Structure formats: C-alpha cells, structure tokens
Amino acid sequence: LALLGELDDARELAEASIAAARDTGVVLYEGIGNWGLSHVAAAAGDAAALRQSSHAFWQCFSFQHGWAALPLGHLAVAELAAGDLTAARRRAEEAVAATTGYGMKHHAMDALLTSARVAVALGEVDRAREDAHRALAIGAAIEARIGIADTLECLAGMAGNDDHQAAARLLGAADVLRRSTGAVRFRLYQPGYETDVSALRAAMGDQAFELAWGEGAKLSTAEAVAYAQRGRGERKRPSSGWASLTPAERDVVSLVAEGLANKDIAARLFISPRTVQAHLTHVYTKLGVTSRVQLAQEAARHT
C-alpha cells in the first residue's frame, strides 16, 4: 500500500500490526510492523517519523546479523534525510556488510542503492557509481523492477553532470518501468528527482530532452540495464586497488572473508578450484596482499 501511494491505509495497517505484535510478545513481529511503518514514513517524505520507526525497527532486529540489514538500511535513509551524512555513511556501510553472504539479494540491492545516495550527498561520485551499478546488477538478476527503476534514476542524476542525453534516456526508461509496476516514487526522493529533471531540461532544451526521454522510454528493461552499464568495465577500471577488482574477483573475495576454503568457494560459485586460485592470484597482485587474512581485512574496509 505504501508503494501504491495509499498512505493512510498503509499507516493504519502498520500500526495495527505493531499493536497485534505487542499482544504476542514476539519482538521480531513488532520489528516487522515498524518496518512497514518506516516504509510509510519514507513514502510520505516524513523524515522525523522515518527516524523514529527505523530506530524502533532496529531495536527489534539488531541481534539478527543477516536481517539487521533491513533496519540499518532504513536508518541510513533516515540519517540522510536528517542531513547527518556521517551517520548515514556508517549505517549504509553496516547495511551493505550485513547482507554479505546471506543470500539476501533484494536487501543487498536496497542497501547498495542507499549507499550510492549517501555517496552522492557526500560528493563521492566514483563510489556512488560503483554502488549504484552493483545494485543495478543485482536488481537485473532478480528482476526487481522497482529497484531497477530507482537505481536508473540514481544513475541518471549522476550522469546529468556530464552526459545529458544518457541521463534523460535513463529517466525515460525508469519512468516506463515504474509505471508498469504501479509503484509511486517515495516523497523522500521526489525533490531530488524534480531537481534532476529540471536541470536536464534547462541544459538540453525541451525538444532535445523529450527526444532523449522518448528514446529511453522505448527500451525494454534488459535494454535499459544494458544501456546503463554500457562503457562500464575494463575501460574505466584501474589496474590496481579495490576498484580494479572484477565482479567475479569480488565474489571470491567476499567468500574468502567468510572463511570459506577454495573448494567451498568453487562449489558456491559453480567454478573450479583452479579458477578460484587464479582469481585469488590476480586479487593478491592488484591489492598488494599476501595472505587470506590480509585479504579479509582489506575486504572489511570496503564493505
């Protein structure tokens, strides 16, 4: 209901859920009710209510490492809306870390998108693009249409600084995708969206803007994702450091950080142990580390 913009009904149900949960005495149930209430707050653009419900959500779920990503992500959004970028960055990093290795792809996508939005606010454009593209890749893999639309809009906002046509096309593609789901844009993000659209119109002129928007609107979801990812990869990837790692290498590093042996990593990723070792050899060279312990420490710094 929150996603559909039916906020009064959504709020009533969330509050009823919390009340029913308190009757059961099950803390997790109450947390889930506050999760719903935090969605309503974000949809309504109510930063204060979002912070309150997110904190209540966190108190119920903080002891569940994997599921902690849910309240942490909402806390990051709340801190971002309140203008506390330091706290927003910390919570976003914790949310991304909490999804690692738990098969929580949808929540990983949400956490990465939130991290990207925080990075934009901090002026960390490279990090914002990296996180947004990771979110987009997950969204495409699990066909999360609302998440893809949100991420395309985020990428369009960044592209608007140097590639107006690409930004307008991404916005056109996101608009069609969002309409196909029936989901509204949460009011918390509406001002930024309107600013991006207005800035693009002013820079391009109405005719050029509408033409590029229309071109994006004609793209299928897969085509829109491919367009957003075009030009990304080896051409922009440095030769060393964390940013130089390929997606496959990062997958291996993530599992090393979990303590898995090569044969277990191979089984998880459906590749051979020899391929795992080849990835690790490349990773060690790129990062300048010599042991799995050092590699795990490096991974912790970037998740």
Side-chain angles (χ1 to χ4, degrees), residues 8-108:
D8 289 340
D9 288 343
R11 185 179 293 106
E12 182 179 345
L13 283 172
E15 290 173 347
S17 173
I18 292 169
R22 287 173 178 163
D23 289 341
T24 70
V26 180
V27 173
L28 291 181
Y29 292 168
E30 186 174 343
I32 292 169
N34 277 290
W35 184 26
L37 202 56
S38 64
H39 276 84
V40 177
D46 190 336
L50 175 60
R51 174 175 271 186
Q52 182 178 357
S53 57
S54 296
H55 275 286
F57 183 19
W58 167 246
Q59 289 173 351
C60 297
F61 270 76
S62 59
F63 62 91
Q64 295 277 347
H65 177 71
W67 291 101
L70 280 64
L72 285 167
H74 282 233
L75 281 171
V77 173
E79 300 295 0
L80 178 60
D84 190 341
L85 300 187
T86 300
R89 162 55 61 212
R90 183 179 70 255
R91 292 305 194 186
E93 289 177 344
E94 290 171 345
V96 172
T99 62
T100 303
Y102 278 79
M104 301 172 65
K105 293 185 181 297
H106 195 285
H107 302 307

Side-chain angles (χ1 to χ4, degrees), residues 9-290:
D9 288 343
R11 185 179 293 106
E12 182 179 345
L13 283 172
E15 290 173 347
S17 173
I18 292 169
R22 287 173 178 163
D23 289 341
T24 70
V26 180
V27 173
L28 291 181
Y29 292 168
E30 186 174 343
I32 292 169
N34 277 290
W35 184 26
L37 202 56
S38 64
H39 276 84
V40 177
D46 190 336
L50 175 60
R51 174 175 271 186
Q52 182 178 357
S53 57
S54 296
H55 275 286
F57 183 19
W58 167 246
Q59 289 173 351
C60 297
F61 270 76
S62 59
F63 62 91
Q64 295 277 347
H65 177 71
W67 291 101
L70 280 64
L72 285 167
H74 282 233
L75 281 171
V77 173
E79 300 295 0
L80 178 60
D84 190 341
L85 300 187
T86 300
R89 162 55 61 212
R90 183 179 70 255
R91 292 305 194 186
E93 289 177 344
E94 290 171 345
V96 172
T99 62
T100 303
Y102 278 79
M104 301 172 65
K105 293 185 181 297
H106 195 285
H107 302 307
M109 175 192 68
D110 288 344
L112 285 164
L113 179 55
T114 297
S115 181
R117 286 169 167 155
V118 173
V120 168
L122 288 167
E124 302 171 354
V125 180
D126 288 343
R127 178 168 186 166
R129 284 199 177 102
E130 176 69 20
D131 285 344
H133 276 288
R134 289 172 64 192
L136 183 62
I138 295 172
I142 63 176
E143 300 181 358
R145 291 185 296 163
I146 296 173
I148 293 172
D150 285 338
T151 307
L152 290 176
E153 290 177 358
C154 181
L155 286 167
M158 290 181 267
N161 295 323
D162 50 26
D163 193 338
H164 297 154
Q165 279 199 332
R169 287 174 184 144
L170 292 175
L171 288 175
D175 182 65
V176 169
L177 184 54
R178 186 180 299 283
R179 290 176 187 275
S180 75
T181 68
V184 300
R185 182 179 304 100
F186 282 2
R187 293 176 192 171
L188 206 63
Y189 306 119
Q190 188 66 23
Y193 175 81
E194 292 176 354
T195 296
D196 290 340
V197 172
S198 296
L200 276 175
R201 279 191 179 277
M204 300 175 69
D206 286 342
Q207 185 174 357
F209 174 82
E210 294 293 347
L211 178 61
W213 178 290
E215 291 170 345
K218 293 177 183 177
L219 299 174
S220 67
T221 302
E223 289 169 339
V225 170
Y227 179 75
Q229 295 173 331
R230 186 177 303 166
R232 177 176 170 75
E234 298 299 336
R235 182 173 64 83
K236 295 184 179 180
R237 187 177 290 133
S239 59
S240 63
W242 185 261
S244 71
L245 301 186
T246 67
E249 289 168 347
R250 292 194 181 198
D251 287 340
V252 171
V253 170
S254 175
L255 295 175
V256 167
E258 288 186 45
L260 272 65
N262 283 9
K263 62 181 180 60
D264 297 318
I265 295 174
R268 182 81 68 87
L269 299 178
F270 304 104
I271 57 179
S272 70
R274 180 174 296 180
T275 299
V276 173
Q277 186 55 54
H279 283 317
L280 286 175
T281 299
H282 295 151
V283 168
Y284 286 163
T285 300
K286 290 178 177 181
L287 299 183
V289 298
T290 58

